[in-house]
Amino acid sequence: MSSSEGVVHVAFLPSAGMGHLNPFLRLAATFIRYGCKVTLITPKPTVSLAESNLISRFCSSFPHQVTQLDLNLVSVDPTTVDTIDPFFLQFETIRRSLHLLPPILSLLSTPLSAFIYDITLITPLLSVIEKLSCPSYLYFTSSARMFSFFARVSVLSASNPGQTPSSFIGDDGVKIPGFTSPIPRSSVPPAILQASSNLFQRIMLEDSANVTKLNNGVFINSFEELEGEALAALNGGKVLEGLPPVYGVGPLMACEYEKGDEEGQKGCMSSIVKWLDEQSKGSVVYVSLGNRTETRREQIKDMALGLIECGYGFLWVVKLKRVDKEDEEGLEEVLGCELSSKVKEKGVVVKEFVDQVEILGHPSVGGFLSHGGWNSVTETVWKGVPCLSWPQHSDQKMSAEVIRMSGMGIWPEEWGWGTQDVVKGDEIAKRIKEMMSNESLRVKAGELKEAALKAAGVGGSCEVTIKRQIEEWKRNA
Ligand code: UDP
Ligand code: UDP
């Protein structure tokens, strides 16, 4: 059936990393829930195993609704790209492969109703989008706050020609019309402020200047009660003139297909759940710095000491390498035997990819020590778990600001970025105790969970927006 016969067909083009893929698939699954057909364009090969596993599970869960289209990436000599991060290198590789997209899209047997693409791909996609006969939408995989910053950077950059962000973003931070307070300079992603040009900075400046072009709307995994001020400023034309509508469709729910069926992951999760079942309600701290952030070697021992000292049970997901396929070393080798056995007396430590949403939803989990990747933020909100933010890099201080403003978490700003000074074990223990014992965080987290359920439920803001969008595409087919 074609879109003119009433079926809406939406193509999704995500970028690299679970932090991008996960929310893309959740948005795609939401459209499927409302009767749409989906084409998932998958840049291949993926960087991590977690991504390729998730793509397979997603596609096999929706055999009749999803068509997978491989975008076989061109090879890029890593020494020609100014980044050492394999995920950023992949952003660039996808950008350089987008000329391969039109021939692939021409193979589709049903016309597209809409094309939804990742934030990291704007500029090189413009010439592709221009030739599409359907509207296109940006999916911004971080917060509305970060999107406001991203959009505002174009104004600052245009009014300071030839200057680098480190000179046009002053000590008073970035003032955003419609925001009660500016975004402090210290919260700006470090790569943006780096004196020497780098990939993240270059892509961001280039794309931000093009954000209003050929763009019919922006989807964000956020909602009114979490980020009302930023969403209003964006939609009120305050942040940037000419921005299309910004749709807060969050919090997007985790889906059944996300549950790992690989033997290793299944086994790991069942022993985690068994252990959690034995702990008392709200007594466990869940610790994870995301899927693509390795805990620095210098930090790991103090992290272990902090967890041992905090007095709570803990579930600690450790990553020793940025890319999961390369993570081969045992934790014992890093911690040493003695510390390692002390850690295991008090809690559970794993290196596997876990089902984070299931963990956050377990009644024994009472707090989340998180780096603040935006997906982790929306998941902790969804499950109503108080948060201790420890931003490691990129947009994570802005996430920490959102969490702090929401009242459901704390952020010890003096810890700095995870790449700066080592935070001592006793300090980590002190802050965990503060999070776990603070009743007002718990109350606020519970309220936000209620608001999240409402936003994502029947008749909620997500459903209203998605349905309206689908109707509009049908009308214009
Ligand atoms: N995630 C998970 N298990 C892990 C690590 C990560 O399920 O062991 C998921 C997490 O729930 C989230 C995503 O991977 O949906 C990570 O995205 P986020 O934006 O939180 O952080 P990133 O990993 O991109 O820094
Ligand atoms: N980002 C952006 N432009 C880019 C790369 C990143 O605006 O070219 C923003 C975007 O909001 C993204 C965030 O920075 O979600 C963090 O990027 P990264 O991929 O490092 O984070 P991850 O979600 O993988 O932890």
Side-chain angles (χ1 to χ4, degrees), residues 18-19 22 290-292 353-354 356 371 373-376 379:
M18 290 297 273
N22 231 357
N291 179 244
R292 64 181 237 64
F353 190 86
V354 298
Q356 174 160 300
H371 69 314
W374 186 246
N375 297 289
S376 295
E379 288 158 6

Side-chain angles (χ1 to χ4, degrees), residues 268-269 272 275-276 284-290 293-310 312-320 327 330-332 334-336 338-354 356 359 365 367-371 390 392 423 425 428 432:
C268 171
M269 271 312 291
I272 286 174
W275 179 79
L276 285 174
V284 172
V285 192
Y286 167 56
V287 182
S288 169
L289 302 181
T293 305
E294 70 278 27
T295 305
R296 281 187 310 156
R297 294 305 156 110
E298 309 90 286
Q299 183 65 67
I300 281 185
K301 282 197 177 146
D302 274 282
M303 183 74 129
L305 291 171
L307 290 171
I308 293 167
E309 196 185 315
C310 76
Y312 293 90
F314 55 84
L315 168 58
W316 180 19
V317 182
V318 189
K319 279 185 72 68
L320 297 172
D327 207 340
L331 191 61
E332 217 156 280
V334 180
L335 282 179
E338 197 185 319
L339 195 52
S340 182
S341 61
K342 273 195 190 149
V343 165
K344 286 176 190 158
E345 272 167 34
K346 308 250 173 163
V348 170
V349 195
V350 295
K351 287 184 26 168
E352 281 82 358
F353 190 86
V354 298
Q356 174 160 300
I359 290 167
V365 174
F368 183 12
L369 168 50
S370 170
H371 69 314
W390 188 0
Q392 302 291 303
V423 179
I428 294 175
I432 290 177

Side-chain angles (χ1 to χ4, degrees), residues 12 48 96 111 136 144 165 223 227 254 294 338:
F12 289 84
S48 65
R96 291 190 198 178
S136 63
F223 63 112
E227 288 201 275
E294 70 278 27
E338 197 185 319

Side-chain angles (χ1 to χ4, degrees), residues 20 88 91 119 140-142 146 150 200 203 292 394-395:
H20 295 254
F88 288 163
F91 291 173
I119 173 65
F140 193 78
T141 51
S142 181
M146 177 67 182
F150 172 82
F200 188 92
I203 292 180
R292 64 181 237 64
S394 58
D395 55 341

